[in-house]
Amino acid sequence: MINPKLTRQMEKQPNQLLWHGIFLLLVLAAIFGIYKAVQAVDYTWRWERIPQYIAYQAEQKHYAEFDGTVVADKGQLFLQDDLDPSRRQAIAPKGSQLAEGDTVFLGDTLDVQLSWTAGPIAWGVWVTVKLSLVAGIFAILLGTLAGLARLSPNPALRNLAVTYVELIRGTPLLVQIFIVYFFIGTVLNLDRFTAGVAALAVFTGAYVAEIVRAGISSIHKGQMEAGRSLGMTSAQTMRYVILPQAFKRVLPPLAGQFINLIKDSSLVSVISITDLTKAGREVVSSTFSPFEVWFTVALLYLVLTGTLSFLVRRLEVKYARSN
């Protein structure tokens, strides 16, 4: 006999094939709209200019250190000093047009080697990653302490944490960067990178504090009482019982906040830190290809944030299995 309840549940399930088809049509419509928009713009696309600003083959020349003659020894070319035959300088087999018996003078080019070198956009990606990583570590530490202080029974700690959170969340990040760099940085003699990290960490830490506070508040009070009944102190219970449970709950909003941190790091370009955004502006001024450069920059930011989202999802699955 067919279970009526199971039949109703099957009837309520959407047609997966139909909705996948609708999704595909929407994606194709978006692609077609972008294509028509590109066609409508009177612009000459020059994508071939972009790769050299990501990575390129740099020339490294080696010069003669003395006057001499090219000699061959065991299949290897050397520059031999005419005055001191025991003095030799190796010549790379590739990248050299010299032959045995050629005369070379001091300062002449012996060979030219090509090596892959990161371009300004690649360096900008590295600076953005380093800036976000360092600022994120300090933001976690600062935000966790502030979140715990907001739940503290000590009025001084609680009021200090509330003041910090409300002050930072109530002012724009760009203004905070200017204050940290031009005022605090001048007093403490901070370099640009340190000032940028400090501004981002303090800004992100305020939001992390609220996330941590909400995560801890979501844990039932009985958990603290159970820990205390086992002989643990309040600090030990918080560390070993409350915080591990709260971390699993706050992982998604924390990931969203750190994705925002990666994007917010673009604002440090106003204090001349050559991150991805500033590198993009410099490349635009060199290539006069703004659309290609900014599309590339946007794609690289998407890769960074997408990678972080993927790692967080894997972490969520890991913690879900541990339960």
Side-chain angles (χ1 to χ4, degrees):
M1 182 176 179
I2 299 177
N3 190 338
K5 184 177 180 180
L6 180 61
T7 304
R8 287 194 299 270
Q9 290 178 350
M10 294 178 62
E11 291 176 352
K12 291 180 181 179
Q13 291 182 353
N15 188 322
Q16 298 294 326
L17 183 62
L18 173 63
W19 287 107
H20 281 302
I22 292 175
F23 168 74
L24 182 61
L25 288 176
L26 292 175
V27 172
L28 292 176
I31 294 174
F32 179 75
I34 294 173
Y35 172 77
K36 296 301 291 184
V38 170
Q39 294 296 318
V41 176
D42 186 14
Y43 182 78
T44 302
W45 296 88
R46 298 182 179 87
W47 287 103
E48 69 279 358
R49 296 181 177 181
I50 303 303
Q52 62 181 323
Y53 292 96
I54 299 175
Y56 64 96
Q57 287 189 305
E59 291 186 352
Q60 185 177 5
K61 296 182 179 181
H62 297 99
Y63 301 97
E65 299 175 356
F66 44 80
D67 298 338
T69 304
V70 177
V71 297
D73 186 4
K74 298 180 180 179
Q76 171 70 43
L77 292 178
F78 296 90
L79 175 64
Q80 181 175 280
D81 195 338
D82 293 334
L83 301 178
D84 183 6
S86 64
R87 186 183 183 191
R88 288 182 172 185
Q89 183 179 353
I91 301 174
K94 294 183 178 180
S96 176
Q97 297 181 351
L98 297 175
E100 185 178 2
D102 290 347
T103 300
V104 179
F105 297 99
L106 176 66
D108 287 350
T109 301
L110 295 180
D111 57 70
V112 179
Q113 300 298 313
L114 297 177
S115 59
W116 283 104
T117 305
I121 291 180
W123 277 111
V125 171
W126 164 241
V127 172
T128 295
V129 170
K130 183 169 67 171
L131 190 71
S132 302
L133 182 61
V134 177
I137 293 173
F138 283 105
I140 290 177
L141 296 175
L142 182 61
T144 302
L145 292 176
L148 292 173
R150 288 210 63 177
L151 298 172
S152 173
N154 188 319
L157 289 177
R158 189 170 60 251
N159 293 335
L160 185 63
V162 170
T163 302
Y164 159 66
V165 170
E166 297 302 327
L167 181 63
I168 296 301
R169 293 201 307 172
T171 54
L173 174 57
L174 186 60
V175 174
Q176 295 174 27
I177 291 174
F178 283 135
I179 293 174
V180 171
Y181 179 63
F182 290 108
F183 179 67
I184 300 177
T186 301
V187 174
L188 300 179
N189 195 25
L190 302 178
D191 58 68
R192 290 186 177 90
F193 185 83
T194 304
V197 167
L200 289 173
V202 170
F203 179 79
T204 305
Y207 290 89
V208 172
E210 284 297 280
I211 293 173
V212 170
R213 181 196 61 78
I216 294 175
S217 299
S218 68
I219 305 300
H220 195 277
K221 294 181 179 180
Q223 297 289 321
M224 176 62 74
E225 297 172 357
R228 296 301 302 275
S229 67
L230 293 175
M232 292 189 290
T233 64
S234 298
Q236 290 175 330
T237 306
M238 181 64 68
R239 178 180 177 183
Y240 296 109
V241 178
I242 305 299
L243 285 180
Q245 297 181 68
F247 178 74
K248 296 179 183 180
R249 298 187 180 185
V250 303
L251 193 57
L254 274 180
Q257 189 57 49
F258 288 119
I259 287 174
N260 287 334
L261 172 61
I262 294 175
K263 294 183 292 183
D264 290 341
S265 66
S266 62
L267 292 176
V268 300
S269 61
V270 299
I271 56 175
S272 299
I273 296 179
T274 309
D275 68 324
L276 182 54
T277 300
K278 189 172 188 298
R281 285 207 302 266
E282 293 175 351
V283 173
V284 168
S285 64
S286 301
T287 61
F288 299 101
S289 303
F291 290 162
E292 296 90 333
V293 173
W294 291 123
F295 278 134
T296 302
V297 169
L299 178 61
L300 291 173
Y301 273 115
L302 184 61
V303 169
L304 293 177
T305 57
T307 302
L308 178 60
S309 298
F310 173 76
L311 294 176
V312 171
R313 283 197 297 270
R314 293 292 299 271
L315 197 59
E316 289 179 6
V317 172
K318 178 182 177 180
Y319 277 115
R321 289 175 179 172
S322 66
N323 290 334

Coordinates of all heavy atoms in Angstrom, one line a residue, residues 176-221:
Q176 N 39.0 56.1 8.7 CA 39.8 55.5 9.7 C 41.2 55.2 9.1 O 42.2 55.4 9.8 CB 39.2 54.1 10.1 CG 37.9 54.3 10.8 CD 37.3 52.9 11.1 OE1 37.9 51.9 11.2 NE2 35.9 52.9 11.2
I177 N 41.4 54.9 7.8 CA 42.7 54.7 7.2 C 43.4 56.0 7.2 O 44.6 56.0 7.6 CB 42.5 54.1 5.8 CG1 42.0 52.7 5.8 CG2 43.8 54.2 5.0 CD1 41.6 52.1 4.4
F178 N 42.8 57.1 6.9 CA 43.5 58.4 6.9 C 43.9 58.8 8.3 O 45.0 59.3 8.5 CB 42.5 59.5 6.3 CG 42.4 59.5 4.8 CD1 41.2 59.6 4.2 CD2 43.5 59.3 4.1 CE1 41.0 59.6 2.9 CE2 43.4 59.3 2.7 CZ 42.2 59.4 2.1
I179 N 43.1 58.5 9.3 CA 43.4 58.8 10.7 C 44.6 58.0 11.2 O 45.5 58.5 11.8 CB 42.2 58.7 11.6 CG1 41.1 59.7 11.3 CG2 42.6 58.8 13.1 CD1 39.8 59.5 12.1
V180 N 44.5 56.7 10.9 CA 45.6 55.8 11.3 C 46.9 56.2 10.6 O 48.0 56.2 11.3 CB 45.3 54.4 11.0 CG1 46.5 53.4 11.3 CG2 44.1 53.9 11.9
Y181 N 46.9 56.5 9.3 CA 48.1 56.7 8.6 C 48.7 58.1 8.9 O 49.9 58.3 9.2 CB 47.9 56.5 7.1 CG 49.2 56.8 6.3 CD1 50.3 56.0 6.5 CD2 49.2 57.8 5.4 CE1 51.4 56.2 5.7 CE2 50.3 58.1 4.7 CZ 51.5 57.3 4.8 OH 52.6 57.5 4.1
F182 N 47.8 59.1 8.8 CA 48.3 60.5 8.8 C 48.5 61.0 10.3 O 49.3 61.9 10.5 CB 47.4 61.5 8.0 CG 47.5 61.3 6.6 CD1 46.5 60.7 5.9 CD2 48.6 61.6 5.9 CE1 46.5 60.5 4.5 CE2 48.7 61.5 4.5 CZ 47.7 60.9 3.8
F183 N 47.7 60.5 11.2 CA 47.8 61.0 12.6 C 48.6 60.0 13.5 O 49.7 60.3 13.9 CB 46.4 61.2 13.1 CG 46.4 61.7 14.6 CD1 46.9 63.0 14.9 CD2 45.9 60.9 15.6 CE1 47.0 63.4 16.2 CE2 45.9 61.3 16.9 CZ 46.5 62.6 17.2
I184 N 48.0 58.8 13.7 CA 48.6 57.8 14.5 C 49.9 57.3 13.9 O 50.9 57.2 14.6 CB 47.7 56.6 14.8 CG1 46.4 57.1 15.4 CG2 48.3 55.5 15.6 CD1 45.3 56.0 15.6
G185 N 49.9 57.2 12.6 CA 51.2 56.7 12.0 C 52.3 57.7 12.1 O 53.5 57.4 12.2
T186 N 51.9 59.0 12.0 CA 53.0 60.0 12.2 C 53.5 60.1 13.6 O 54.7 60.2 13.8 CB 52.4 61.4 11.8 OG1 51.9 61.4 10.5 CG2 53.4 62.5 12.0
V187 N 52.6 59.9 14.6 CA 53.1 59.9 16.0 C 53.9 58.7 16.3 O 55.0 58.8 17.0 CB 51.8 60.0 16.9 CG1 52.3 59.8 18.4 CG2 51.0 61.3 16.7
L188 N 53.5 57.5 15.8 CA 54.2 56.3 16.1 C 55.2 55.9 15.1 O 55.9 54.9 15.2 CB 53.2 55.1 16.3 CG 52.2 55.3 17.4 CD1 51.3 54.1 17.5 CD2 52.9 55.5 18.8
N189 N 55.4 56.7 14.0 CA 56.3 56.5 12.9 C 56.0 55.1 12.3 O 56.9 54.3 12.1 CB 57.8 56.5 13.5 CG 58.8 56.6 12.3 OD1 58.5 57.1 11.2 ND2 60.0 56.2 12.6
L190 N 54.8 54.9 11.9 CA 54.4 53.7 11.2 C 54.6 53.8 9.7 O 54.4 54.8 9.1 CB 52.9 53.3 11.5 CG 52.5 53.2 13.0 CD1 51.0 52.9 13.1 CD2 53.3 52.1 13.6
D191 N 55.0 52.7 9.1 CA 55.1 52.7 7.6 C 53.8 52.4 7.0 O 52.8 52.1 7.8 CB 56.1 51.6 7.1 CG 55.7 50.2 7.6 OD1 54.7 49.7 7.1 OD2 56.5 49.7 8.5
R192 N 53.6 52.5 5.7 CA 52.3 52.4 5.0 C 51.7 51.1 5.3 O 50.5 51.0 5.6 CB 52.5 52.6 3.5 CG 52.8 54.1 3.2 CD 52.8 54.2 1.6 NE 53.1 55.6 1.3 CZ 54.3 56.1 1.0 NH1 55.3 55.4 1.2 NH2 54.4 57.4 0.7
F193 N 52.5 50.0 5.1 CA 51.9 48.6 5.3 C 51.4 48.4 6.7 O 50.3 47.9 6.9 CB 52.9 47.6 4.9 CG 52.4 46.2 4.9 CD1 51.7 45.7 3.8 CD2 52.5 45.4 6.0 CE1 51.2 44.4 3.8 CE2 52.0 44.1 6.0 CZ 51.4 43.6 4.9
T194 N 52.1 48.8 7.7 CA 51.7 48.6 9.1 C 50.5 49.4 9.4 O 49.5 48.9 10.0 CB 52.8 49.0 10.0 OG1 54.0 48.3 9.7 CG2 52.4 48.8 11.5
A195 N 50.4 50.7 8.9 CA 49.2 51.5 9.1 C 48.0 50.9 8.4 O 46.9 50.9 9.0 CB 49.5 52.9 8.5
G196 N 48.2 50.3 7.2 CA 47.1 49.7 6.5 C 46.6 48.5 7.2 O 45.4 48.3 7.4
V197 N 47.5 47.7 7.7 CA 47.1 46.5 8.5 C 46.4 46.9 9.8 O 45.3 46.3 10.1 CB 48.4 45.6 8.8 CG1 48.0 44.6 9.9 CG2 48.9 45.0 7.6
A198 N 46.9 47.9 10.5 CA 46.2 48.3 11.7 C 44.8 48.8 11.4 O 43.9 48.5 12.2 CB 47.1 49.4 12.3
A199 N 44.6 49.6 10.4 CA 43.3 50.2 10.1 C 42.3 49.0 9.8 O 41.2 49.0 10.2 CB 43.4 51.2 9.0
L200 N 42.8 48.1 8.9 CA 41.9 47.0 8.5 C 41.6 46.1 9.7 O 40.4 45.6 9.8 CB 42.5 46.2 7.4 CG 42.6 46.9 6.0 CD1 43.4 46.1 5.0 CD2 41.2 47.2 5.5
A201 N 42.6 45.8 10.5 CA 42.4 44.9 11.7 C 41.4 45.5 12.7 O 40.5 44.8 13.2 CB 43.7 44.6 12.3
V202 N 41.6 46.8 13.0 CA 40.7 47.5 13.9 C 39.3 47.5 13.4 O 38.3 47.3 14.1 CB 41.2 48.9 14.3 CG1 40.2 49.7 15.1 CG2 42.5 48.8 15.0
F203 N 39.1 47.8 12.1 CA 37.8 47.9 11.5 C 37.1 46.5 11.5 O 36.0 46.4 11.9 CB 37.9 48.5 10.1 CG 36.6 48.6 9.3 CD1 35.8 49.6 9.6 CD2 36.2 47.6 8.4 CE1 34.6 49.7 8.9 CE2 35.0 47.7 7.7 CZ 34.2 48.8 8.0
T204 N 37.8 45.5 11.0 CA 37.2 44.2 10.9 C 37.0 43.6 12.3 O 36.0 42.9 12.5 CB 38.1 43.3 10.1 OG1 38.4 43.9 8.8 CG2 37.5 41.9 9.9
G205 N 37.9 43.9 13.3 CA 37.8 43.4 14.6 C 36.5 43.8 15.3 O 35.9 43.1 16.1
A206 N 36.0 45.0 15.0 CA 34.7 45.5 15.5 C 33.5 44.6 15.1 O 32.6 44.2 15.9 CB 34.4 46.9 15.2
Y207 N 33.5 44.2 13.8 CA 32.5 43.3 13.3 C 32.7 41.9 13.8 O 31.7 41.2 14.1 CB 32.4 43.3 11.8 CG 32.0 44.6 11.3 CD1 32.9 45.7 11.0 CD2 30.6 44.9 11.0 CE1 32.4 46.9 10.5 CE2 30.2 46.1 10.5 CZ 31.1 47.1 10.3 OH 30.7 48.3 9.8
V208 N 33.9 41.4 13.9 CA 34.2 40.1 14.5 C 33.7 40.0 16.0 O 33.2 39.0 16.4 CB 35.7 39.8 14.4 CG1 36.0 38.5 15.1 CG2 36.1 39.6 12.9
A209 N 33.9 41.1 16.7 CA 33.5 41.2 18.1 C 32.0 40.9 18.2 O 31.5 40.1 19.1 CB 33.8 42.5 18.7
E210 N 31.2 41.5 17.3 CA 29.7 41.3 17.4 C 29.4 39.9 17.0 O 28.5 39.2 17.5 CB 29.0 42.3 16.5 CG 28.9 43.7 17.0 CD 28.1 43.7 18.3 OE1 26.8 43.7 18.2 OE2 28.7 43.6 19.4
I211 N 30.1 39.3 16.0 CA 29.9 37.9 15.6 C 30.2 37.0 16.7 O 29.4 36.0 17.0 CB 30.7 37.6 14.3 CG1 30.2 38.4 13.1 CG2 30.6 36.1 14.0 CD1 31.1 38.3 11.9
V212 N 31.3 37.2 17.4 CA 31.7 36.3 18.5 C 30.7 36.5 19.6 O 30.3 35.5 20.3 CB 33.1 36.7 19.0 CG1 33.5 36.0 20.3 CG2 34.1 36.3 17.9
R213 N 30.3 37.7 20.0 CA 29.3 37.9 21.0 C 28.0 37.1 20.7 O 27.5 36.5 21.6 CB 29.0 39.4 21.2 CG 28.0 39.7 22.3 CD 27.5 41.1 22.2 NE 26.8 41.3 21.0 CZ 25.6 40.9 20.7 NH1 24.9 40.2 21.7 NH2 25.0 41.1 19.6
A214 N 27.5 37.3 19.5 CA 26.3 36.6 19.1 C 26.5 35.1 19.2 O 25.5 34.3 19.6 CB 25.9 37.0 17.7
G215 N 27.6 34.6 18.8 CA 27.9 33.1 18.8 C 27.9 32.6 20.2 O 27.3 31.5 20.5
I216 N 28.5 33.3 21.1 CA 28.6 32.9 22.5 C 27.2 32.9 23.2 O 26.8 32.0 23.9 CB 29.6 33.7 23.3 CG1 31.0 33.4 22.8 CG2 29.6 33.4 24.8 CD1 32.1 34.3 23.4
S217 N 26.5 34.0 22.9 CA 25.2 34.2 23.4 C 24.2 33.1 23.0 O 23.2 32.8 23.7 CB 24.6 35.5 23.1 OG 25.4 36.6 23.6
S218 N 24.5 32.5 21.8 CA 23.6 31.5 21.3 C 23.8 30.1 22.0 O 22.9 29.2 21.8 CB 23.8 31.3 19.8 OG 25.1 30.7 19.5
I219 N 24.9 30.0 22.7 CA 25.1 28.7 23.4 C 24.3 28.7 24.7 O 24.3 29.7 25.5 CB 26.6 28.5 23.8 CG1 27.4 28.6 22.5 CG2 26.8 27.2 24.5 CD1 27.1 27.5 21.4
H220 N 23.6 27.7 25.0 CA 22.7 27.6 26.2 C 23.5 27.8 27.5 O 24.7 27.3 27.6 CB 22.0 26.2 26.2 CG 20.8 26.2 27.2 ND1 21.0 26.0 28.6 CD2 19.5 26.4 27.0 CE1 19.8 26.0 29.1 NE2 18.9 26.3 28.2
K221 N 23.0 28.5 28.4 CA 23.6 28.8 29.7 C 24.0 27.6 30.5 O 24.9 27.6 31.3 CB 22.8 29.8 30.5 CG 22.6 31.2 29.9 CD 21.8 32.1 30.8 CE 21.7 33.5 30.2 NZ 20.9 34.4 31.0

